[in-house]
Amino acid sequence: MKSALITSGYVFLVLLSLVLIYFLVAFVLSRMSVDAEPETRKEVSIYILTNGVHTDLVVPVKNEVYDWRHYVKYDHTAGKDTTANFIAFGWGDKGFYLETPTWADLKAKVAFKAMTGLSASAIHATFYKTMPENEACHRIDISRKQYGRLVKFIQQRFDLDEHGSTIHIKTDANYGQNDAFYEATGSYNLFYTCNTWANEGLKACGQKAAVWTPFYKGIFYHYR
């Protein structure tokens, strides 16, 4: 009995140490900056948007570089509103997106799969008419060339069918009237989260970013 308690104590200390190391590394690397490319032309406005946990990359629905209606359909949303000017993209764990509308609904099975990369992923797309700038929404002006790179970055996370079309997830778990879910590639895990993906998107288009971050604060820290 005594040896079992000692072993349990050691296991607890090891797990606690790993958790502390994870948060320490996340803090340090999220404060280390990847600089933006110099002499950026201000031709396209994109945004980073957070709900306090998750970061979305927000882009124009269409412009001279790309029309996102080839990938995301208004008809896939409950509201079918065609007047939106912006679309927000978030990538993350499919179980979290579809089975966890609030933290109170979080199941141990979903959390375990998400942390270990054992579950599938999804893209969450949300249409917006306007993007008010505030502490949770920051505008970044980039060049058309940089925006083209961001388009490719986002496209690469969509899983496509045999015809090259996005795969709409039909669900009642939508967050509102103007959003839809799509099958995605890649696996969410402790070291590559929804915020890590958004941070990598900023790097892909030559903007300020954290060296690495699993949390939204690591992104917004560089845009204070």
Side-chain angles (χ1 to χ4, degrees):
M1 181 68 176
K2 183 178 179 180
S3 61
L5 289 174
I6 292 174
T7 300
S8 298
Y10 279 128
V11 170
F12 174 77
L13 288 175
V14 169
L15 292 176
L16 179 61
S17 298
L18 291 174
V19 170
L20 292 175
I21 290 171
Y22 175 83
F23 281 101
L24 177 61
V25 171
F27 178 82
V28 172
L29 294 184
S30 68
R31 265 52 181 178
M32 296 173 63
S33 178
V34 175
D35 293 333
E37 294 175 351
E39 300 180 4
T40 298
R41 292 185 178 182
K42 298 181 179 181
E43 298 171 325
V44 180
S45 292
I46 65 170
Y47 299 80
I48 47 175
L49 174 68
T50 183
N51 62 1
V53 176
H54 173 88
T55 305
D56 281 347
L57 297 172
V58 187
V59 299
V61 170
K62 63 174 181 175
N63 63 8
E64 61 274 17
V65 178
Y66 192 71
D67 185 343
W68 279 105
R69 294 174 300 178
H70 297 307
Y71 260 57
V72 179
K73 311 296 184 183
Y74 292 121
D75 285 346
H76 291 165
T77 68
K80 297 178 173 56
D81 186 350
T82 62
T83 63
N85 296 308
F86 302 95
I87 184 167
F89 289 106
W91 172 89
D93 180 76
K94 188 175 179 180
F96 264 121
Y97 272 140
L98 303 183
E99 301 177 37
T100 314
T102 68
W103 286 109
D105 298 302
L106 180 61
K107 301 174 183 176
K109 181 179 179 180
V110 171
F112 177 78
K113 285 186 174 181
M115 289 189 296
T116 56
L118 295 177
S119 64
S121 59
I123 288 279
H124 183 223
T126 308
F127 288 104
Y128 291 95
K129 290 183 180 180
T130 61
M131 292 305 301
E133 295 179 56
N134 50 48
E135 291 184 357
C137 183
H138 184 86
R139 189 185 78 211
I140 307 170
D141 296 322
I142 65 178
S143 70
R144 292 187 184 92
K145 185 176 181 180
Q146 290 170 327
Y147 180 58
R149 282 152 43 192
L150 180 60
V151 168
K152 291 181 179 178
F153 174 84
I154 297 172
Q155 285 178 328
Q156 288 171 353
R157 277 299 177 190
F158 279 89
D159 194 10
L160 305 178
D161 63 20
E162 62 273 18
H163 304 295
S165 299
T166 55
I167 304 170
H168 175 224
I169 301 173
K170 297 180 181 179
T171 176
D172 294 326
N174 298 85
Y175 296 178
Q177 293 292 301
N178 301 305
D179 67 315
F181 291 99
Y182 296 86
E183 298 288 357
T185 62
S187 295
Y188 180 105
N189 58 67
L190 280 173
F191 303 100
Y192 198 93
T193 68
C194 51
N195 297 301
T196 310
W197 176 79
N199 189 63
E200 291 298 311
L202 293 174
K203 291 180 184 178
C205 62
Q207 303 309 302
K208 287 188 298 182
V211 170
W212 172 75
T213 181
F215 307 117
Y216 87 93
K217 287 186 177 180
I219 297 174
F220 279 78
Y221 173 82
H222 301 280
Y223 289 91
R224 295 183 300 177

